[in-house]
Coordinates of all heavy atoms in Angstrom, one line a residue:
M198 N 15.1 -44.1 -12.1 CA 14.8 -42.8 -11.6 C 15.0 -41.8 -12.8 O 16.0 -41.8 -13.5 CB 15.8 -42.3 -10.5 CG 15.6 -41.0 -9.9 SD 16.7 -40.5 -8.6 CE 16.1 -41.6 -7.3
S199 N 14.0 -40.9 -13.0 CA 14.1 -39.9 -14.1 C 15.2 -38.8 -13.8 O 15.6 -38.6 -12.6 CB 12.7 -39.4 -14.3 OG 12.5 -38.5 -13.2
E200 N 15.6 -38.2 -14.8 CA 16.5 -37.1 -14.8 C 16.0 -35.9 -13.8 O 16.8 -35.4 -13.0 CB 16.8 -36.6 -16.2 CG 17.9 -35.5 -16.2 CD 19.3 -36.1 -16.0 OE1 19.5 -37.3 -16.1 OE2 20.2 -35.3 -15.6
T201 N 14.8 -35.6 -14.0 CA 14.2 -34.5 -13.2 C 14.3 -34.9 -11.7 O 14.6 -34.1 -10.8 CB 12.8 -34.2 -13.5 OG1 12.8 -33.8 -15.0 CG2 12.2 -33.0 -12.8
S202 N 13.9 -36.2 -11.4 CA 13.8 -36.6 -10.0 C 15.3 -36.7 -9.3 O 15.4 -36.3 -8.2 CB 13.3 -38.0 -9.9 OG 11.9 -38.1 -10.4
R203 N 16.2 -37.0 -10.2 CA 17.6 -37.1 -9.7 C 18.1 -35.6 -9.4 O 18.7 -35.4 -8.3 CB 18.5 -37.7 -10.7 CG 19.9 -37.9 -10.2 CD 20.8 -38.7 -11.2 NE 20.9 -37.9 -12.5 CZ 21.8 -36.9 -12.7 NH1 22.6 -36.5 -11.7 NH2 21.8 -36.3 -13.8
R204 N 17.8 -34.7 -10.3 CA 18.2 -33.3 -10.0 C 17.5 -32.7 -8.8 O 18.1 -32.0 -8.0 CB 17.9 -32.5 -11.2 CG 18.7 -32.6 -12.4 CD 18.3 -31.8 -13.6 NE 19.2 -32.0 -14.7 CZ 19.1 -31.4 -15.8 NH1 18.1 -30.5 -16.0 NH2 19.9 -31.6 -16.8
M205 N 16.2 -33.0 -8.7 CA 15.5 -32.5 -7.5 C 16.1 -33.1 -6.2 O 16.2 -32.4 -5.1 CB 14.0 -32.8 -7.6 CG 13.3 -32.0 -8.6 SD 13.4 -30.2 -8.5 CE 12.5 -30.0 -7.0
L206 N 16.4 -34.4 -6.3 CA 17.1 -35.0 -5.0 C 18.3 -34.4 -4.7 O 18.6 -34.1 -3.6 CB 17.2 -36.5 -5.3 CG 17.8 -37.3 -4.1 CD1 16.8 -37.2 -3.0 CD2 17.9 -38.8 -4.5
L207 N 19.2 -34.2 -5.7 CA 20.5 -33.5 -5.4 C 20.3 -32.1 -4.9 O 21.1 -31.6 -4.0 CB 21.3 -33.5 -6.7 CG 22.0 -34.8 -7.1 CD1 22.6 -34.7 -8.6 CD2 22.9 -35.3 -6.1
I208 N 19.4 -31.3 -5.4 CA 19.1 -29.9 -4.9 C 18.7 -30.1 -3.5 O 19.0 -29.2 -2.6 CB 18.1 -29.2 -5.8 CG1 18.7 -28.9 -7.2 CG2 17.6 -27.9 -5.1 CD1 17.8 -28.4 -8.2
F209 N 17.8 -30.9 -3.1 CA 17.2 -31.2 -1.8 C 18.4 -31.5 -0.8 O 18.4 -31.0 0.2 CB 16.2 -32.3 -1.8 CG 15.7 -32.5 -0.4 CD1 14.8 -31.7 0.2 CD2 16.0 -33.7 0.3 CE1 14.3 -31.9 1.5 CE2 15.6 -34.0 1.5 CZ 14.7 -33.1 2.2
V210 N 19.3 -32.4 -1.3 CA 20.5 -32.7 -0.4 C 21.3 -31.5 -0.1 O 21.8 -31.3 0.9 CB 21.2 -33.8 -1.0 CG1 22.5 -34.1 -0.4 CG2 20.4 -35.2 -1.0
A211 N 21.6 -30.6 -1.2 CA 22.3 -29.5 -1.1 C 21.7 -28.5 -0.1 O 22.3 -27.9 0.8 CB 22.5 -28.8 -2.5
M212 N 20.4 -28.4 -0.1 CA 19.6 -27.5 0.8 C 19.8 -28.1 2.1 O 19.9 -27.3 3.2 CB 18.2 -27.4 0.3 CG 18.0 -26.8 -1.1 SD 18.0 -25.0 -1.0 CE 16.5 -24.6 -0.2
L213 N 19.6 -29.4 2.3 CA 19.6 -30.0 3.7 C 21.0 -29.7 4.3 O 21.1 -29.4 5.5 CB 19.3 -31.4 3.6 CG 19.3 -32.2 4.9 CD1 18.2 -31.7 5.8 CD2 19.1 -33.7 4.7
I214 N 22.1 -29.9 3.6 CA 23.4 -29.7 4.0 C 23.5 -28.2 4.4 O 24.2 -27.9 5.5 CB 24.5 -30.1 3.0 CG1 24.5 -31.6 2.9 CG2 25.9 -29.7 3.5 CD1 25.3 -32.1 1.8
G215 N 23.0 -27.3 3.6 CA 23.0 -25.9 3.9 C 22.3 -25.6 5.2 O 22.8 -24.7 6.0
V216 N 21.2 -26.2 5.4 CA 20.4 -26.0 6.6 C 21.3 -26.4 7.9 O 21.4 -25.8 8.9 CB 19.1 -26.7 6.7 CG1 18.4 -26.8 8.1 CG2 18.2 -26.1 5.7
I217 N 21.9 -27.6 7.7 CA 22.8 -28.2 8.9 C 24.0 -27.2 9.1 O 24.2 -26.9 10.3 CB 23.2 -29.5 8.6 CG1 22.1 -30.5 8.6 CG2 24.3 -30.0 9.5 CD1 22.4 -31.9 8.0
V218 N 24.6 -26.7 8.1 CA 25.7 -25.7 8.3 C 25.2 -24.4 8.9 O 25.9 -23.9 9.8 CB 26.5 -25.6 6.9 CG1 27.5 -24.4 7.1 CG2 27.2 -26.8 6.6
G219 N 24.1 -23.9 8.4 CA 23.6 -22.7 8.9 C 23.1 -22.7 10.4 O 23.4 -21.8 11.1
E220 N 22.5 -23.9 10.7 CA 22.1 -24.0 12.1 C 23.3 -24.1 13.0 O 23.3 -23.6 14.1 CB 21.2 -25.2 12.2 CG 20.7 -25.5 13.5 CD 19.8 -26.7 13.6 OE1 19.4 -27.3 12.6 OE2 19.4 -27.1 14.8
T221 N 24.3 -24.9 12.6 CA 25.5 -25.0 13.3 C 26.2 -23.6 13.6 O 26.6 -23.3 14.7 CB 26.5 -26.1 12.7 OG1 25.8 -27.3 12.6 CG2 27.7 -26.3 13.6
T222 N 26.2 -22.9 12.5 CA 26.8 -21.6 12.6 C 26.1 -20.7 13.5 O 26.7 -20.0 14.4 CB 26.9 -20.9 11.2 OG1 27.7 -21.8 10.3 CG2 27.6 -19.5 11.3
G223 N 24.8 -20.7 13.5 CA 24.0 -19.9 14.4 C 24.2 -20.3 15.8 O 24.3 -19.4 16.7
I224 N 24.3 -21.6 16.1 CA 24.5 -22.1 17.4 C 25.9 -21.7 18.0 O 26.1 -21.2 19.1 CB 24.4 -23.6 17.5 CG1 22.9 -24.0 17.3 CG2 24.9 -24.2 18.8 CD1 22.6 -25.5 17.2
L225 N 26.9 -21.7 17.1 CA 28.3 -21.3 17.5 C 28.4 -19.8 17.8 O 29.0 -19.4 18.7 CB 29.3 -21.7 16.4 CG 29.5 -23.2 16.3 CD1 30.5 -23.4 15.1 CD2 30.2 -23.7 17.5
V226 N 27.6 -19.0 17.0 CA 27.6 -17.5 17.3 C 26.8 -17.3 18.6 O 27.2 -16.5 19.4 CB 26.9 -16.8 16.2 CG1 26.7 -15.4 16.5 CG2 27.8 -16.9 14.9
A227 N 25.8 -18.1 18.9 CA 25.0 -17.9 20.2 C 25.9 -18.4 21.3 O 26.0 -17.7 22.4 CB 23.8 -18.8 20.1
I228 N 26.7 -19.4 21.2 CA 27.6 -19.8 22.3 C 28.7 -18.7 22.5 O 29.1 -18.4 23.7 CB 28.3 -21.1 21.9 CG1 27.3 -22.2 21.9 CG2 29.5 -21.4 22.8 CD1 27.8 -23.5 21.5
D229 N 29.1 -18.0 21.5 CA 30.0 -16.8 21.6 C 29.4 -15.6 22.1 O 29.9 -14.5 21.9 CB 30.7 -16.6 20.2 CG 32.0 -15.9 20.3 OD1 32.7 -16.0 21.4 OD2 32.3 -15.1 19.4
E230 N 28.2 -15.8 22.6 CA 27.5 -14.6 23.2 C 27.1 -13.5 22.2 O 27.1 -12.3 22.4 CB 28.2 -14.0 24.4 CG 28.4 -15.0 25.5 CD 29.2 -14.4 26.7 OE1 29.5 -13.2 26.7 OE2 29.5 -15.1 27.5
G231 N 26.7 -14.0 21.0 CA 26.2 -13.1 20.0 C 24.6 -12.8 20.2 O 24.0 -13.6 20.8
S232 N 24.2 -11.7 19.7 CA 22.7 -11.4 19.8 C 22.1 -12.3 18.8 O 22.5 -13.0 17.9 CB 22.6 -9.9 19.4 OG 22.9 -9.7 18.1
V233 N 20.7 -12.3 19.0 CA 19.8 -13.1 18.1 C 19.9 -12.7 16.7 O 20.0 -13.6 15.9 CB 18.4 -13.1 18.7 CG1 17.4 -13.9 17.8 CG2 18.3 -13.7 20.1
S234 N 19.9 -11.4 16.4 CA 20.0 -11.1 15.0 C 21.3 -11.4 14.5 O 21.4 -11.7 13.2 CB 19.8 -9.5 15.0 OG 20.8 -8.8 15.7
R235 N 22.4 -11.4 15.2 CA 23.7 -11.8 14.7 C 23.7 -13.3 14.4 O 24.3 -13.7 13.4 CB 24.8 -11.5 15.7 CG 26.2 -11.7 15.1 CD 27.2 -11.2 16.1 NE 28.5 -11.6 15.5 CZ 29.7 -11.4 16.1 NH1 29.7 -10.6 17.1 NH2 30.8 -11.8 15.6
C236 N 23.0 -14.1 15.2 CA 22.9 -15.5 14.9 C 22.2 -15.8 13.7 O 22.7 -16.6 12.9 CB 22.2 -16.2 16.1 SG 23.1 -16.1 17.7
F237 N 21.1 -15.1 13.4 CA 20.3 -15.2 12.1 C 21.1 -14.9 11.0 O 21.1 -15.5 10.0 CB 19.0 -14.5 12.3 CG 17.9 -15.3 12.9 CD1 17.5 -14.9 14.3 CD2 17.2 -16.3 12.3 CE1 16.5 -15.6 14.9 CE2 16.2 -17.0 13.0 CZ 15.8 -16.6 14.3
I238 N 21.8 -13.7 11.1 CA 22.6 -13.2 9.9 C 23.8 -14.2 9.6 O 23.9 -14.5 8.4 CB 23.1 -11.9 10.2 CG1 21.9 -10.8 10.2 CG2 24.1 -11.4 9.2 CD1 22.3 -9.5 10.6
A239 N 24.4 -14.6 10.6 CA 25.6 -15.6 10.3 C 25.1 -16.8 9.9 O 25.6 -17.5 8.9 CB 26.3 -15.8 11.7
G240 N 24.0 -17.4 10.4 CA 23.4 -18.7 10.0 C 22.9 -18.6 8.5 O 23.1 -19.4 7.7
G241 N 22.2 -17.4 8.2 CA 21.7 -17.4 6.9 C 22.8 -17.2 5.8 O 22.7 -17.7 4.8
G242 N 23.8 -16.4 6.2 CA 24.9 -16.3 5.3 C 25.7 -17.7 5.1 O 26.1 -17.9 3.9
A243 N 25.8 -18.4 6.1 CA 26.4 -19.8 6.0 C 25.5 -20.6 5.2 O 26.1 -21.4 4.3 CB 26.7 -20.3 7.3
F244 N 24.3 -20.6 5.3 CA 23.4 -21.4 4.5 C 23.5 -21.0 3.1 O 23.6 -21.9 2.2 CB 21.9 -21.2 5.0 CG 20.8 -21.8 4.1 CD1 20.6 -23.1 4.0 CD2 20.1 -20.9 3.2 CE1 19.6 -23.6 3.2 CE2 19.3 -21.4 2.4 CZ 18.9 -22.7 2.3
A245 N 23.4 -19.7 2.7 CA 23.5 -19.2 1.4 C 24.8 -19.7 0.7 O 24.8 -20.1 -0.5 CB 23.2 -17.8 1.3
G246 N 25.8 -19.5 1.4 CA 27.1 -19.8 0.9 C 27.3 -21.3 0.6 O 27.9 -21.6 -0.4
T247 N 26.9 -22.1 1.6 CA 27.0 -23.5 1.4 C 26.1 -24.0 0.2 O 26.7 -24.9 -0.6 CB 26.6 -24.3 2.7 OG1 27.3 -23.8 3.8 CG2 26.7 -25.7 2.6
V248 N 24.9 -23.6 0.1 CA 24.1 -24.0 -1.0 C 24.7 -23.5 -2.3 O 24.7 -24.3 -3.3 CB 22.6 -23.5 -0.8 CG1 21.8 -23.8 -2.0 CG2 22.0 -24.2 0.4
A249 N 25.1 -22.3 -2.4 CA 25.7 -21.7 -3.7 C 26.9 -22.7 -4.0 O 27.1 -23.0 -5.2 CB 26.0 -20.3 -3.5
L250 N 27.7 -22.9 -3.0 CA 29.0 -23.7 -3.3 C 28.6 -25.2 -3.7 O 29.2 -25.6 -4.8 CB 29.8 -23.8 -2.1 CG 31.1 -24.6 -2.2 CD1 32.1 -24.0 -3.1 CD2 31.7 -24.9 -0.8
L251 N 27.7 -25.8 -3.1 CA 27.3 -27.2 -3.4 C 26.7 -27.2 -4.9 O 27.0 -28.1 -5.6 CB 26.4 -27.7 -2.5 CG 27.1 -28.1 -1.1 CD1 26.1 -28.5 -0.1 CD2 28.1 -29.1 -1.3
L252 N 25.8 -26.2 -5.2 CA 25.1 -26.3 -6.4 C 26.2 -25.9 -7.5 O 26.1 -26.5 -8.7 CB 24.0 -25.2 -6.5 CG 22.8 -25.6 -5.7 CD1 21.8 -24.5 -5.8 CD2 22.2 -26.9 -6.1
G253 N 27.2 -25.1 -7.3 CA 28.2 -24.8 -8.3 C 29.1 -26.1 -8.5 O 29.4 -26.4 -9.6
V254 N 29.4 -26.8 -7.5 CA 30.2 -28.0 -7.6 C 29.4 -29.1 -8.4 O 29.9 -29.7 -9.2 CB 30.6 -28.6 -6.1 CG1 31.1 -30.0 -6.3 CG2 31.7 -27.7 -5.6
L255 N 28.1 -29.2 -8.1 CA 27.3 -30.2 -8.7 C 27.2 -29.8 -10.2 O 27.1 -30.7 -11.1 CB 25.9 -30.3 -8.1 CG 26.0 -31.0 -6.7 CD1 24.6 -30.9 -6.1 CD2 26.4 -32.4 -6.8
H256 N 27.0 -28.5 -10.5 CA 27.0 -28.1 -11.9 C 28.3 -28.3 -12.6 O 28.3 -28.8 -13.8 CB 26.6 -26.6 -11.9 CG 26.4 -26.1 -13.3 ND1 25.3 -26.5 -14.2 CD2 27.1 -25.2 -14.1 CE1 25.5 -25.9 -15.3 NE2 26.5 -25.1 -15.4
A257 N 29.4 -28.1 -11.9 CA 30.7 -28.3 -12.6 C 31.0 -29.8 -12.9 O 31.6 -30.1 -13.8 CB 31.8 -27.7 -11.6
L258 N 30.4 -30.7 -12.0 CA 30.5 -32.1 -12.2 C 29.4 -32.6 -13.2 O 29.5 -33.8 -13.5 CB 30.3 -32.8 -10.9 CG 31.5 -32.5 -9.9 CD1 31.1 -33.3 -8.5 CD2 32.8 -33.1 -10.4
K259 N 28.7 -31.7 -13.7 CA 27.7 -32.0 -14.8 C 26.6 -33.0 -14.2 O 26.1 -33.8 -15.0 CB 28.2 -32.5 -16.0 CG 29.3 -31.6 -16.7 CD 29.2 -31.6 -18.1 CE 30.4 -30.8 -18.7 NZ 30.2 -29.4 -18.6
L260 N 26.3 -32.8 -12.8 CA 25.3 -33.6 -12.3 C 23.9 -32.9 -12.3 O 22.9 -33.5 -12.1 CB 25.6 -34.0 -10.9 CG 26.8 -34.9 -10.7 CD1 27.2 -35.1 -9.3 CD2 26.7 -36.2 -11.4
L261 N 24.0 -31.6 -12.5 CA 22.7 -30.8 -12.6 C 22.5 -30.3 -14.0 O 23.4 -30.1 -14.7 CB 22.8 -29.6 -11.7 CG 22.7 -30.0 -10.1 CD1 22.7 -28.6 -9.3 CD2 21.4 -30.8 -9.8

């Protein structure tokens, strides 16, 4: 596997984990009787935070 392919795969995995965390956060806010806009904002924030954290960790481990 080439270096570029490995990097793209790690970025894809980080994005996938971010989507799962964001979706879960949105569902939990909806269960807590939050509005639709609040669900999107919370889910989007959780997604962005998770992806940023994972990319930072991968960069610190010198995998990216």
Side-chain angles (χ1 to χ4, degrees):
M198 179 180 289
S199 69
E200 184 71 21
T201 305
S202 297
R203 186 179 60 84
R204 285 182 180 177
M205 292 302 293
L206 182 62
L207 287 173
I208 291 171
F209 178 74
V210 169
M212 299 278 286
L213 183 62
I214 292 171
V216 167
I217 292 169
V218 170
E220 184 178 351
T221 303
T222 303
I224 290 171
L225 289 175
V226 171
I228 289 172
D229 196 30
E230 298 178 4
S232 64
V233 174
S234 62
R235 186 173 172 180
C236 294
F237 276 105
I238 290 171
F244 168 79
T247 302
V248 171
L250 177 70
L251 288 174
L252 290 178
V254 168
L255 290 173
H256 183 69
L258 293 174
K259 306 214 187 286
L260 295 175
L261 290 181

